[in-house]
Amino acid sequence: MENIALRVEELLSKMTVREKIGQLNQPETPTEKTIEEFKALVRKGEVGSILMSVGATAGNDAQGAISNEFYNEIQRIAVEESPNGIPILFGRDVIHGHHTVFPIPLGMAASFNDELVKKSYSDIASEASAESVHWTFTPMLDLARDPRWGRIIEGTGEDPYVGARVAESVVKGLQGENLSDKGNMIACAKHYIGYGASEGGRDYHRTEITDYSLFNYYLPAFRSAVKAGVKTVMSSFNDISGQPITSSSYYLTDILRGKLGFDGFVVSDYDAVIQLKKQGVARDNADCAKMALNAGLDMDMHDFCYLDNLEKLIESGEVSEETLNESVRRILTVKMEKGLFENPYCYGGEYDKIVHLKDAEDLATESIVLLKNENNLLPLSKSANISLVGPYATEKRSLLGSWCIDGKTDGMDNLLDIMRKTCEGKLYYSCGYGLGWDSSAKNSYLSDVVVMALGESWSCTGEARAVSDISLPPEQIALIKKIKSTGKKIVGILFCGRPIAMQEISDDLDAIIYAWHPGSCGAQAVCNVLFGDVSPSGKLPVTLPKLATHIPLYYNVTSSGRPVNCYYNENPANCYVDSVPTPCYPFGFGLSYTEFKYGETKIDNDKISLDEVLNGKKIKVSVSLENIGDFDAKETVQIYLRTPVAKWMRPLRELKGYQKVSLNKGEKTEIIFEIGAEELGYYSPQGEFIVEKGIREIYVGENCLIENKKEITIC
Ligand code: GLC
């Protein structure tokens, strides 16, 4: 590190102000029309990084394939023809896969399998880095409670602890042990901060987040990413209570660097600097550039606002050259840590695509959540006569989800393909609509069971894709009703990105598999579970509400003087007069084919002094877990905490740990959690971590609604 600091200073001392500003400039990939003008900029040292895509919503629009030759040529100009030969950093949205597409991040979070998520991002990094990508804009760590927001699919759901665990897995998977090793990529924790609280679930909308909520709900995942060594952070479009993040030194410097200790660099979101005018805090582009750089925003994505305005601002003294130098230092340091100066070019890379596809299938399989299984209808026998009905039986593109820029459906199987390979009985298929209804009805009568392949289009999820109605499309709901009228048992497979409102369908389906948008191998993953080759082990990282009108509905809610939130079914009469907003399926929920027997929760000492806690002593909480069913299976054991009395109101449940264990039928094990200051404390509105005396309620089990309470006292 010492060597890098010296190299950075030496380089900095040779750079003109304009070249320094050039390092802060991140244009997007040039087109044929602009390539020569672009190369001229590179030659002048005025391009520090390239956003390897075209357009403001890269996840929604088809992007061109990557050509190493193209990027090597641009890099050659930077290295050989620019004043100081500083290599360019190539960044791309490799969000949940490159050519091999893994489940959408919300699905990955449902796997609760940290090791598999980490391994998957190591696979992803090896694929993308073989195609000139040094830096990806992931993990997305926006805590979200409103499924109307299309970007809920990109994150880890409604819980800060799950966000923190996933953040660590993704950062370590992408950056590896040594960032400069071939096959590793620079990670980017985004969108800092609070974007997931966009009002009404409408993308890019305003947010209201108190510091108390910020420190306890929205920051933990970013704190974890920083602790895991993330090298970059992307600032978010939103404002918090009238203060745009893009121009806020409070959030970008005081908190991100002061409280979290982040020492990498911050990149803006697309055009976010120049959009400060639209947010009504800047008069002109010069104002935008001055406010953002002075706030601590180092790199300007796409709008050229820094390159066009900072030189004059430095000449006039409105921005100090030392402020500029600080941002340049951060960017040069990351480039040197990546080894870019030693290896600026890309000549491909080796990786085993078969292994990646297997990892993608395993992660998709483990992300699947079994919500309902009446009379153990599932798993199905491969020799059963099955009627497969519904529009997602032949769907491929939506299974890849949003933000799969380099993932294609070529060579991908859909559910019908896999079922045709798997089923040994009669398999009838019909889309179920229009004229297809007659054959669907006939097939259903001829079959032992109906499998309905339903879901949500990828194009209703992701950026700028908020919806006001989170139900399944009406034609799919109607189809369920029709199939129900045949009297046959129905298995519903839901290929949904976001959480959907379940009330209208959950009663009519005898079994429900929530498959998310599961990626390239999603259809195989669903069949692995459908026919019992693997017992489902996913758990919900986000609440599934009965109705969209119950939003927001999240498990880690605080109580109130007159309990009205109903999540824990307290005082339903006080909720809506026309419906009770209890969750249809709660956070942490997911069924298995086997039966797990939880023993009594044991606590090694239920009284501990505050001093002991502050000095690092921990409480051991243990529970026996036995697989008393007929299937080998995995279970995610969760430990929740409640602080019934505190200086500030605390949530009714807080997830403080989880362990996913594999138990063959008949096997038994003991799960041990250690509870210490980190689990027992929380942040004050001033961001001070505090542990208070008093009682803590401990709940250990299979989801957030477990009632087997134990108590410990901090005295
Ligand atoms: C988009 C997204 C961000 C993405 C960036 C580059 O607007 O908000 O997540 O990384 O621009 O495509």
Side-chain angles (χ1 to χ4, degrees), residues 26-35 38 47 49-55 58 63-67 70-71 74 89-93 270 301-302 304:
Q26 185 194 51
E28 68 184 12
T29 299
T31 61
E32 275 176 35
K33 205 164 67 169
T34 61
I35 184 66
F38 190 94
V47 175
S49 172
I50 295 176
L51 169 60
M52 301 163 80
S53 60
V54 176
Q63 297 293 327
I66 297 172
S67 152
F70 174 81
Y71 284 101
I74 290 180
L89 197 57
F90 298 142
R92 190 168 173 100
D93 292 288
Y270 193 101
M301 182 186 281
H302 182 259
F304 281 84

Side-chain angles (χ1 to χ4, degrees), residues 678-709:
E678 190 177 345
E679 291 75 26
L680 295 166
Y682 64 98
Y683 289 91
S684 72
Q686 292 71 38
E688 181 203 359
F689 189 73
I690 50 180
V691 182
E692 294 170 320
K693 291 181 180 178
I695 288 171
R696 302 297 188 276
E697 296 171 1
I698 306 281
Y699 302 85
V700 177
E702 63 273 25
N703 64 60
C704 71
L705 297 186
I706 41 179
E707 286 294 336
N708 58 351
K709 178 172 75 176

